Amino acid sequence: EFVNRLTNQLPVFMLNAYAGPAVVGVYNLSTRMLGLPIQLIGGAISTVFQQKATDDYNSTGTCRPIFIKTFKTLSLIAIVPTLIIVFFGPGLFALVFGEKWRNAGSYARVLILLFSGKLIVSPLSYLFFIARKQREDFLWHGWMLVSNILVFKVAFEVQLSLVNVLLAYSLNYLLIYVIYITRSYFLTQNDTFNKA
């Protein structure tokens, strides 16, 4: 949990160090607006999924059907907001918060990939706990932290624009989420259940 929280706060530290507090303020507005629906929707679905997946895994040896159903549901939920932010993000932020916050919409446009991935993956990654793979989960979180530090350092060293720095960060997260969701899918089968 500590590594996860540190990873989530990493952009604030890196942006403050390389770009200054004004950029951090714009970034924070973007992430707050993108994160709010995820907390509400993801939290509600996560609670239901955790209970059902745990019951199915322990009683039948698999929770793959509920995993696939939840994956499809979360993916469908993520599509519309992702498209809206990608196509209209800067204009929406300028309309709602004022013209000086247009850059927050530009940041949101590239960060929506990360947040859509988080909406889908966060509830489903509970499989690491159900399958008792906390050590593996910890190692993935460690890699997430290290790789994001490297992405920020390299992106700022080669002097990418702030939007491209955030795009690189978002794409790195998305790649890790693809690995996470794939691994979670394979964990839906309890191999020891069938051998017993």
Side-chain angles (χ1 to χ4, degrees):
E1 189 60 29
F2 170 75
V3 172
N4 189 36
R5 289 188 183 274
L6 185 59
T7 303
N8 289 335
Q9 291 303 312
L10 179 68
V12 173
F13 300 136
M14 299 301 274
L15 289 171
N16 191 48
Y18 285 98
V23 170
V24 172
V26 175
Y27 170 83
N28 280 337
L29 177 64
S30 299
T31 57
R32 242 181 287 131
M33 292 302 102
L34 294 175
L36 193 60
I38 289 175
Q39 289 174 340
L40 296 173
I41 297 167
I45 292 175
S46 184
T47 303
V48 175
F49 172 76
Q50 288 174 9
Q51 181 64 49
K52 177 73 172 140
T54 303
D55 291 345
D56 289 357
Y57 189 86
N58 291 330
S59 61
T60 67
T62 183
C63 60
R64 193 162 286 175
I66 189 66
F67 180 93
I68 292 170
K69 182 180 178 183
T70 306
F71 174 79
K72 287 178 180 176
T73 302
L74 290 167
S75 297
L76 286 172
I77 290 170
I79 287 174
V80 173
T82 299
L83 292 175
I84 289 171
I85 296 296
V86 165
F87 289 109
F88 307 110
L92 278 174
F93 273 74
L95 179 70
V96 174
F97 300 106
E99 190 60 37
K100 68 177 184 174
W101 294 102
R102 181 175 288 274
N103 277 348
S106 298
Y107 296 173
R109 179 181 272 170
V110 295
L111 291 170
I112 190 66
L113 301 172
L114 180 159
F115 280 89
S116 294
K118 185 178 281 192
L119 173 65
I120 296 165
V121 173
S122 289
L124 298 176
S125 66
Y126 190 72
L127 258 298
F128 283 86
F129 292 92
I130 295 173
R132 296 180 182 90
K133 299 288 186 184
Q134 288 92 334
R135 178 181 163 81
E136 182 181 345
D137 186 44
F138 174 75
L139 292 173
W140 278 116
H141 274 84
W143 172 245
M144 201 179 293
L145 176 63
V146 170
S147 65
N148 282 324
I149 290 171
L150 292 173
V151 164
F152 273 109
K153 285 192 75 61
V154 170
F156 278 116
E157 292 293 324
V158 298
Q159 299 181 340
L160 292 179
S161 69
L162 284 170
V163 169
N164 285 333
V165 169
L166 293 175
L167 179 61
Y169 164 69
S170 194
L171 290 174
N172 182 59
Y173 240 114
L174 208 54
L175 176 63
I176 293 168
Y177 280 156
V178 168
I179 295 167
Y180 243 94
I181 201 73
T182 304
R183 184 65 181 128
S184 296
Y185 174 80
F186 285 110
L187 292 175
T188 58
Q189 294 287 117
N190 185 350
D191 295 331
T192 58
F193 188 89
N194 296 323
K195 291 175 185 173

